[in-house]
Amino acid sequence: MHNVFVMTPEVRAAFENVRRVESYRLEGWMNPRDVDVFWLRFERYFDDLHYALDTLYGDRADTLEQFGRLFGRMVQAYAERPDPLKVLDLERQFTPRWFQRTHMVGYTCYTDQFAGDLEGVRDRIDYLQELGVTYLHLMPLMQPRPGPDDGGYAMVDFRRVRPDLGTIEDLKRLAVDLSERGITLCLDLVLNHVAREHHWAQRALAGEERYLGYFHTFSDRSLPDAYEQTLPEVFPDDAPGNFTWVPGMAGQGRWVWTTFHDYQWDLNYSNPEVVHEIVDLMFFYANLGAGVLRLDAAPFLWKRLDTNCQNQPEVFLLIQAFRAILRVVAPGVILKAEAIVPPDALIRYLGVKSTVEKQCELAYDNQRMALLWSSLATRKATLITQALHRAPQLLIGCAPVNYLRNHDDIGWAMTNEDLVAVGETPDLHRHFLNDFYTGRFPGSFARGALFQENPATGDARVTGTTASLAGLETALEHGEESAVDRAIRRILLLHALILGAGGIPVIHMGDELGLTNDATYSRDPQRAGDNRWLNRPRMDWQRARLRHDERSVPGRIFQGLTRLIEARRRTSLFHGFGLFQPLWSGNDHVLGYARKRPEGTVLVLANLEEHPQTVEAALTRHAGLSGETRDLLSGGAPPPQRHGRLQLDALSCRWLVDGSAEPLYPVRTDRRTRP
Ligand code: OTU
C-alpha cells in the first residue's frame, strides 16, 4: 500500500484533467475561498482515495469515467453543505482529536422508545444534558419495510424519516439544536443491505440489469453451496443460511445473498455503482447534520470464496475511500465501525501500518464489553487483565467505543487463547456465562435470555438490560434490600470502568435509571421472534422523575452516574491520546489499569467481589503514581490503608491520581452560539 503521497505522472494527469474539467463548475457555484479549500483538501486526500478506488475497480474499462462521476458528486455535496457545517468542519480540522476529549459521553436510543418522535427528542435535550451526554446515537429512523424490520435495519427508503417519527426537516432541526447544546448526532449508515421492498431490490426482481448488478444473485445453488462451506450464520435460529430463493426473480427465480434475514438483501460492492449510491447517502446524512456515521455490519461488505466473507481486504479499501471522500467534503464527520469481530480483526477498522488515519475514527470495543460481563459473573479480573494485555494497542487518531449494552445481544467474544491462558476451557466458560446470565446457574443474580441458540454448535448469545443482567430485577422481585444495593453497585461499577477508560463511553438508554427487561415485545407479532427487544425497553419517564431522589433506586443510579461523568469531564487523564496499561493487581478480585498522559497518571481499581478486598499499597507506585494519592471519585479522600494495603469496598471503583497534581480541565460544555 502507498503510505506516502504519491503523485505518479499518470495520477497527476488524471488529477489535472479532472481539475480542468470541473473547475468551471466549482467556480460557478461557490466563492473562490471555498473552491480553494476544496482543492487543498482534495489534493491532500487524493492519494488515499485514488489508491483505494484504483485497487478495487482499476481494471475496469470505465475507471476514469467512474472517478469523474464520483468527483462530480463530491463537488455537488460540498457546494450544498450548509455554511454552519462548513464552519464546524474547519473547527474540527483545527481540533482533530475533538472526539477523544473526556467530556465525550454517548447515549443510544430508539427515537420512539425514548421520546415518541423527533420533536419529542428535542424536548428531552435538557435531560440528556443533565446526564452529561455529548453524543447521541438515534437508532435507525429511516423508512423501514412493513412487517418485521430487524429493529429498523431493513430499510425501503434511506432518505425518508419513518413518518410517525417526523420528517427530514425535523431531523435537520434536531441536529442543529443538538449541536448548539454541544451534542453530536450519530446516524446509522446501513450500507450492507436494503430491504427486499427497497426500489433497487424491486427493480432487480423485475429483471432490470442495472439493479440486478446491485446484488449478489445466482441462478442455481452451485456457488451458494460453495460459499456456504465456509460461511457462518449470524441468526442461525430465525434466519438460517446466507442465501434466499426469490421465485420469479428476473424471470426464472434466483438465489439472493442475504447474510441477515431473508428480507435483507446484501449489496454488491464489486459494482462501483453501489459505491456511488452509498457515497451519495453519506453526503445526505452529513449535510443534514450528522457528525458520526455508524457503518452497520461493516465486516460483510466484500465476499470471497473459501473465506467467512468478513473483514476482507477490500472492506478496508472501501472504508479508506469513504473516509478520504468525507475528509474532503465534510471533515467534521467521522466514521464508526460496527464490527463485532475478534480484537486482531477489529484493530484494522481503526487502522494499522500504512492505513493509520485512513480507516474509521471509532469502533465498538466488543471484546472489552463481553469481558466486563464475564468478570462480573466470575468476580475475577484474571481473564479481562490477560485479554487487555494481549489486545492490540490503539494507534493515534482513533478511539474505541466503550459500552456495556447496546440494542443487540452479547456474544462471548473473548478469544480461546486468552481463556486457555488463564486456565479456562473455552466452551465450558461460554456455557457458564450463558447459564449465569439467564439465571440458570445456581446463585446467579442475573436475569436474561438466550439469543440465537445454535443446536449444531452449542453456541448462544445473551439478551437483557444492564440492570437485569446486573441483578436488579431479581433483587427487586425478592424485595431484598441488600441485593438491591449490590445490583446498584454493580451497575455503577461497570459504568465506572467504561468511563474510566479512554475512548467514548456510550450509555444505552434506560441504563441510567436501571430499567429492567421489557418482556412486552412477545405480544407484538412484529417483534415476538426477536428477543433483543428484551433490552430495548420504552423510556419510563415516571421513573425518570425520581432521578434526583437518592433514596430511590433510579435516583441512586442516575446521580451515581452523573457524578462519574462529571469526574471524568474534569480531568484530562482519560483523554483518548494516552497510554492504556492493564495491571496485575495481585488480588484476583481486583481489576486494575492505568491511563498515562504527559501530565499524569490515573490508576483505576475495581473490586468485583461482594466483599471488601485489599491490594498492596505499592501498586500505586508500580502504576506510576508517587506519594500521596487522591481519588477522583470520592471527593479526594484516598482509600484507607491498613498494614500497607489499600482497602476497597465491596463492588467499588477508585480513580486514583497523584495527590499533588491538579490535572483539571477547563470545562467548556457548550459550543459557542453563532449568529
Ligand atoms: C448489526 O449487527 C445491527 O446492530 C443489528 O441490530 C442488525 O440486526 C444487523 O447489523 C443487521 O443490520 O450480527 O448480532 O460484525 O455482527 O452487524 C448483531 C457485525 C449483528 C455484525 C453486526 C450485526
Side-chain angles (χ1 to χ4, degrees):
M1 291 218 173
H2 299 181
N3 53 7
V4 287
F5 184 81
V6 186
M7 266 275 188
T8 61
E10 302 79 58
V11 170
R12 167 65 65 187
F15 179 78
E16 287 305 334
N17 192 29
V18 165
R19 188 170 179 144
R20 213 173 33 248
V21 174
E22 298 292 345
S23 272
Y24 76 96
R25 296 179 51 186
L26 283 176
E27 274 143 29
W29 280 0
M30 286 174 262
N31 70 52
R33 184 53 45 86
D34 274 356
V35 178
D36 287 342
V37 168
F38 183 88
W39 281 123
L40 284 169
R41 289 191 196 141
F42 186 72
E43 186 142 9
R44 165 68 182 80
Y45 292 103
F46 178 82
D47 187 50
D48 290 356
L49 177 59
H50 180 264
Y51 178 78
L53 294 181
D54 193 47
T55 314
L56 288 168
Y57 309 110
D59 53 0
R60 294 171 58 101
D62 62 349
T63 308
L64 263 188
E65 183 210 317
Q66 293 285 351
F67 196 76
R69 278 175 53 206
L70 190 66
F71 181 85
R73 284 166 192 255
M74 290 168 71
V75 171
Q76 170 128 9
Y78 179 71
E80 287 167 1
R81 188 149 173 85
D83 277 335
L85 294 180
K86 282 190 177 151
V87 177
L88 184 69
D89 289 338
L90 284 179
E91 186 179 318
R92 288 184 173 169
Q93 277 190 297
F94 290 133
T95 50
R97 308 280 174 258
W98 63 272
F99 58 88
Q100 297 186 320
R101 297 182 62 189
T102 61
H103 71 292
M104 287 301 291
V105 174
Y107 190 82
T108 342
C109 62
Y110 284 93
T111 302
D112 51 351
Q113 306 281 82
F114 178 59
D117 56 17
L118 291 170
E119 197 56 41
V121 177
R122 285 176 74 201
D123 295 338
R124 297 296 182 183
I125 297 179
D126 284 344
Y127 175 82
L128 295 173
Q129 272 208 314
E130 191 184 322
L131 186 59
V133 170
T134 53
Y135 159 132
L136 177 66
H137 174 199
L138 290 179
M139 297 298 296
L141 41 72
M142 297 300 170
Q143 181 72 59
R145 72 189 291 271
D149 63 12
D150 190 25
Y153 285 101
M155 293 182 183
V156 292
D157 192 338
F158 286 129
R159 293 159 194 261
R160 179 158 179 255
V161 172
R162 212 176 86 190
D164 61 309
L165 303 180
T167 62
I168 286 293
E169 287 312 310
D170 295 331
L171 188 54
K172 282 187 188 160
R173 246 196 318 276
L174 176 63
V176 170
D177 289 355
L178 288 170
S179 165
E180 276 166 7
R181 311 279 292 273
I183 302 175
T184 297
L185 176 66
C186 168
L187 292 180
D188 277 274
L189 186 70
V190 186
L191 74 174
N192 178 66
H193 45 259
V194 299
R196 69 164 169 239
E197 292 79 5
H198 190 285
H199 76 98
W200 301 340
Q202 287 301 302
R203 295 172 77 168
L205 182 69
E208 266 186 61
E209 275 311 316
R210 174 181 163 85
Y211 291 97
L212 274 170
Y214 277 36
F215 302 96
H216 300 274
T217 72
F218 310 89
S219 48
D220 63 44
R221 270 307 292 191
S222 51
L223 271 173
D225 282 342
Y227 279 111
E228 285 286 14
Q229 298 293 316
T230 50
L231 278 178
E233 294 171 311
V234 180
F235 299 135
D237 185 18
D238 62 346
N242 288 276
F243 301 88
T244 301
W245 175 249
V246 181
M249 182 169 190
Q252 313 293 303
R254 298 260 178 124
W255 288 97
V256 176
W257 199 307
T258 54
T259 299
F260 296 94
H261 298 94
D262 57 6
Y263 52 76
Q264 286 162 306
W265 291 13
D266 288 38
L267 289 167
N268 180 359
Y269 279 87
S270 68
N271 178 359
E273 297 295 337
V274 170
V275 176
H276 293 309
E277 297 277 12
I278 296 303
V279 165
D280 254 357
L281 193 59
M282 204 165 72
F283 293 153
F284 180 73
Y285 294 156
N287 281 354
L288 69 76
V292 180
L293 297 179
R294 174 187 179 276
L295 304 185
D296 181 56
F300 300 87
L301 302 182
W302 201 273
K303 324 293 188 193
R304 174 168 285 112
L305 214 53
D306 297 326
T307 72
N308 65 358
C309 296
Q310 293 184 42
N311 317 317
Q312 294 302 304
E314 290 84 352
V315 169
F316 304 102
L317 291 169
L318 284 166
I319 294 176
Q320 175 171 320
F322 294 148
R323 167 132 179 205
I325 290 169
L326 271 184
R327 290 283 83 95
V328 178
V329 175
V333 181
I334 59 174
L335 297 174
K336 173 171 68 167
E338 193 262 331
I340 308 306
V341 296
D344 292 340
L346 183 70
I347 184 82
R348 298 171 62 199
Y349 289 84
L350 295 165
V352 288
K353 296 186 182 160
S354 60
T355 69
V356 171
E357 301 227 293
K358 294 178 188 175
Q359 298 292 311
C360 296
E361 286 85 350
L362 306 174
Y364 290 93
D365 193 340
N366 167 61
Q367 174 181 248
R368 186 188 300 239
M369 183 271 281
L371 286 164
L372 284 172
W373 288 108
S374 172
S375 64
L376 198 73
T378 58
R379 284 84 161 170
K380 284 206 176 134
T382 348
L383 178 62
I384 187 167
T385 310
Q386 157 74 19
L388 291 177
H389 266 287
R390 263 180 32 102
Q393 287 282 336
L394 295 190
L395 297 158
I396 329 174
C398 58
V401 167
N402 288 316
Y403 65 120
L404 301 173
R405 291 301 294 114
N406 62 12
H407 65 289
D408 282 328
D409 49 288
I410 303 177
W412 304 116
M414 53 287 289
T415 66
N416 289 352
E417 290 85 340
D418 288 331
L419 281 162
V420 170
V422 298
E424 298 282 1
T425 311
D427 284 354
L428 278 182
H429 187 68
R430 293 198 179 95
H431 282 143
F432 158 72
L433 291 172
N434 282 330
D435 285 349
F436 190 91
Y437 282 109
T438 50
R440 293 187 301 209
F441 190 81
S444 161
F445 50 73
R447 179 82 52 94
L450 280 191
F451 179 68
Q452 301 295 329
E453 199 169 1
N454 187 341
T457 59
D459 291 343
R461 285 116 74 184
V462 161
T463 58
T465 66
T466 295
S468 290
L469 297 181
L472 189 60
E473 190 174 334
T474 320
L476 288 173
E477 218 168 82
H478 296 170
E480 223 187 294
E481 200 62 38
S482 60
V484 171
D485 178 68
R486 285 194 296 275
I488 293 174
R489 282 166 168 271
R490 282 187 205 104
I491 294 169
L492 291 174
L493 176 68
L494 289 173
H495 281 100
L497 287 169
I498 59 162
L499 284 154
I504 303 187
V506 176
I507 298 164
H508 189 51
M509 188 213 85
D511 283 0
E512 75 278 19
L513 298 168
L515 291 198
T516 50
N517 290 342
D518 177 8
T520 58
Y521 76 94
S522 59
R523 293 198 294 270
D524 177 344
Q526 291 203 22
R527 297 178 174 176
D530 188 345
N531 69 17
R532 288 177 296 177
W533 284 100
L534 204 57
N535 46 270
R536 299 169 180 174
R538 262 188 175 278
M539 186 54 163
D540 183 343
W541 290 108
Q542 291 283 66
R543 197 176 166 86
R545 288 214 197 113
L546 295 171
R547 68 187 181 277
H548 303 122
D549 176 2
E550 289 218 45
R551 287 161 313 177
S552 73
V553 171
R556 280 183 64 189
I557 301 175
F558 192 92
Q559 293 305 322
L561 195 52
T562 47
R563 274 194 291 272
L564 286 168
I565 291 172
E566 184 55 24
R568 181 183 207 261
R569 177 199 286 271
R570 288 176 57 79
T571 173
S572 60
L573 294 173
F574 295 118
H575 188 287
F577 188 72
L579 284 179
F580 176 77
Q581 186 184 9
L583 296 166
W584 294 104
S585 71
N587 177 337
D588 278 357
H589 302 299
V590 178
L591 170 61
Y593 54 79
R595 295 262 332 158
K596 298 193 167 175
R597 297 253 309 155
E599 70 276 26
T601 292
V602 52
L603 170 63
V604 173
L605 288 177
N607 176 9
L608 302 159
E609 247 299 351
E610 277 95 349
H611 307 288
Q613 294 292 319
T614 65
V615 292
E616 242 190 274
L619 188 66
T620 56
R621 278 204 306 283
H622 298 324
L625 298 174
S626 53
E628 286 289 287
T629 56
R630 256 175 348 108
D631 181 3
L632 296 177
L633 294 183
S634 62
Q641 273 194 45
R642 213 169 315 132
H643 310 304
R645 296 186 70 83
L646 302 180
Q647 317 284 308
L648 297 165
D649 289 346
L651 298 166
S652 72
C653 192
R654 299 277 188 170
W655 291 352
L656 301 179
V657 296
D658 266 332
S660 52
E662 270 297 301
L664 288 187
Y665 241 21
V667 183
R668 200 193 71 175
T669 44
D670 290 320
R671 283 165 45 71
R672 71 183 179 284
T673 333
R674 278 187 219 94

